[in-house]
Amino acid sequence: MRLSSRALTTVVLALGIALGAPAVAAADARFQSVDSFAGPQGASITVIRSVVGDDGKVTYKRVTYFAGPDGAQVFRSHSAAK
Protein backbone atom coordinates (compact mmCIF):
# COMPACT_ATOMS: atom_id res chain seq x y z
CA MET A 1 0.00 0.00 0.00
CA ARG A 2 1.38 3.37 -0.99
CA LEU A 3 0.83 6.50 1.14
CA SER A 4 -0.06 9.69 -0.67
CA SER A 5 2.06 12.77 -0.03
CA ARG A 6 -0.83 14.36 1.88
CA ALA A 7 -1.15 11.36 4.20
CA LEU A 8 2.61 11.20 4.70
CA THR A 9 2.73 14.92 5.53
CA THR A 10 -0.11 14.51 8.03
CA VAL A 11 1.67 11.59 9.74
CA VAL A 12 4.96 13.50 9.97
CA LEU A 13 3.27 16.60 11.41
CA ALA A 14 1.27 14.55 13.91
CA LEU A 15 4.42 12.79 15.13
CA GLY A 16 6.25 16.10 15.44
CA ILE A 17 3.46 17.61 17.52
CA ALA A 18 3.12 14.49 19.69
CA LEU A 19 6.84 14.36 20.41
CA GLY A 20 7.28 18.12 20.87
CA ALA A 21 4.30 18.82 23.13
CA PRO A 22 5.86 17.54 26.40
CA ALA A 23 8.92 19.73 25.87
CA VAL A 24 6.76 22.80 25.39
CA ALA A 25 4.67 21.98 28.47
CA ALA A 26 7.79 21.68 30.65
CA ALA A 27 9.29 25.00 29.53
CA ASP A 28 9.20 28.20 31.55
CA ALA A 29 6.62 30.84 30.63
CA ARG A 30 8.32 34.12 29.73
CA PHE A 31 7.39 37.62 28.59
CA GLN A 32 9.77 40.38 27.55
CA SER A 33 9.17 43.85 26.16
CA VAL A 34 11.71 46.49 25.12
CA ASP A 35 10.69 50.08 24.38
CA SER A 36 13.00 52.97 23.56
CA PHE A 37 13.02 56.52 22.27
CA ALA A 38 15.53 59.21 21.39
CA GLY A 39 14.86 62.88 20.81
CA PRO A 40 16.14 66.39 21.45
CA GLN A 41 15.49 66.11 25.20
CA GLY A 42 17.31 62.79 25.67
CA ALA A 43 17.06 59.05 25.16
CA SER A 44 15.46 56.22 27.12
CA ILE A 45 15.13 52.45 27.04
CA THR A 46 12.74 50.36 29.17
CA VAL A 47 13.00 46.60 29.55
CA ILE A 48 10.19 44.59 31.15
CA ARG A 49 10.64 40.89 31.85
CA SER A 50 8.29 38.45 33.57
CA VAL A 51 9.04 34.76 34.14
CA VAL A 52 7.04 31.89 35.64
CA GLY A 53 9.43 29.02 36.41
CA ASP A 54 8.77 25.30 36.45
CA ASP A 55 8.67 25.52 40.26
CA GLY A 56 5.87 28.12 40.13
CA LYS A 57 8.06 31.07 41.17
CA VAL A 58 7.05 34.29 39.43
CA THR A 59 9.46 37.18 38.89
CA TYR A 60 8.85 40.61 37.36
CA LYS A 61 11.52 43.17 36.52
CA ARG A 62 11.25 46.60 34.95
CA VAL A 63 14.33 48.72 34.29
CA THR A 64 14.39 52.14 32.61
CA TYR A 65 17.60 53.89 31.60
CA PHE A 66 17.31 57.59 30.78
CA ALA A 67 19.93 60.11 29.66
CA GLY A 68 19.15 63.76 29.03
CA PRO A 69 20.62 67.24 29.20
CA ASP A 70 20.76 67.13 33.02
CA GLY A 71 22.43 63.72 33.35
CA ALA A 72 21.48 60.04 33.46
CA GLN A 73 19.10 58.06 35.66
CA VAL A 74 18.12 54.44 36.22
CA PHE A 75 14.70 53.39 37.54
CA ARG A 76 14.21 49.78 38.72
CA SER A 77 11.25 47.69 39.90
CA HIS A 78 11.55 44.05 40.96
CA SER A 79 8.97 41.68 42.36
CA ALA A 80 8.93 37.95 43.11
CA ALA A 81 6.38 35.48 44.47
CA LYS A 82 6.45 31.79 45.21
Side-chain angles (χ1 to χ4, degrees), residues 41-82:
Q41 297 301 314
S44 173
I45 184 169
T46 299
V47 178
I48 299 171
R49 179 178 295 157
S50 180
V51 178
V52 179
D54 290 336
D55 60 355
K57 184 176 180 182
V58 179
T59 59
Y60 171 87
K61 294 180 183 179
R62 178 180 177 163
V63 181
T64 299
Y65 300 95
F66 175 79
D70 298 325
Q73 296 176 319
V74 178
F75 303 97
R76 296 177 189 263
S77 293
H78 176 80
S79 177
K82 232 180 181 187

Side-chain angles (χ1 to χ4, degrees), residues 12-31:
V12 169
L13 289 175
L15 284 174
I17 291 170
L19 296 175
V24 172
D28 293 342
R30 298 175 183 268
F31 168 81

